[in-house]
Amino acid sequence: MALETEGIPCKLLGEFDRGVGLMPWLPVRVAILNDEDLERAQAIVARLQPRTPPPPSWRWQKRGLLLLGLDLFLLGALAARLDAYRNDREGSVLVLYALAAVVLLVFITGVLFVVLGPRADKAAKGTP
């Protein structure tokens, strides 16, 4: 409707494919009938899209997910060191315990960041 009010002729493609509102995640496709109007239509559609910043919880949860990804790498390193220790008895047991402690600490910290992240949304809204 916004495009047609600006004088840009267009058609909706697959407007009945959305399942009468049961599948709102399907994108709406618009065909611009004149190629000369394409840039102007893209500018209008870009203006209509909401520009909302990510919630404050995303900063915490993103760090938590990064820590959990790092933890997978550290867990692989721990498994490799444990395998080398079991097979050849090379290396120190103290190194294995230290690496296991780091893996556990990074895991707990990552989970806490992910789980406690939504509390930042409450603080941003002003509710305790």
Side-chain angles (χ1 to χ4, degrees):
M1 188 165 48
L3 295 174
E4 289 180 355
T5 58
E6 294 287 331
I8 300 174
C10 60
K11 288 283 187 190
L12 286 177
L13 300 177
E15 60 186 307
F16 300 110
D17 291 347
R18 296 181 65 149
V20 193
L22 298 177
M23 295 180 283
W25 60 85
L26 290 177
V28 175
R29 297 180 310 154
V30 178
I32 306 300
L33 301 180
N34 297 327
D35 289 339
E36 300 86 33
D37 296 330
L38 179 63
E39 289 181 27
R40 202 165 53 120
Q42 288 174 337
I44 292 169
V45 170
R47 250 190 356 240
L48 292 174
Q49 292 181 350
R51 296 205 185 352
T52 58
S57 63
W58 175 240
R59 290 181 56 206
W60 291 95
Q61 290 175 331
K62 179 173 63 172
R63 289 178 181 143
L65 291 173
L66 288 172
L67 283 173
L68 290 174
L70 173 67
D71 195 51
L72 286 175
F73 173 75
L74 291 174
L75 190 62
L78 175 63
R81 293 298 299 156
L82 184 61
D83 189 46
Y85 179 76
R86 283 186 181 167
N87 291 337
D88 303 330
R89 296 279 184 215
E90 72 178 43
S92 168
V93 177
L94 184 61
V95 172
L96 284 174
Y97 285 142
L99 191 54
V102 168
V103 166
L104 186 63
L105 182 67
V106 169
F107 178 76
I108 290 172
T109 306
V111 168
L112 282 176
F113 276 4
V114 170
V115 170
L116 297 178
R119 292 178 61 97
D121 293 337
K122 290 181 182 178
K125 292 179 185 175
T127 59

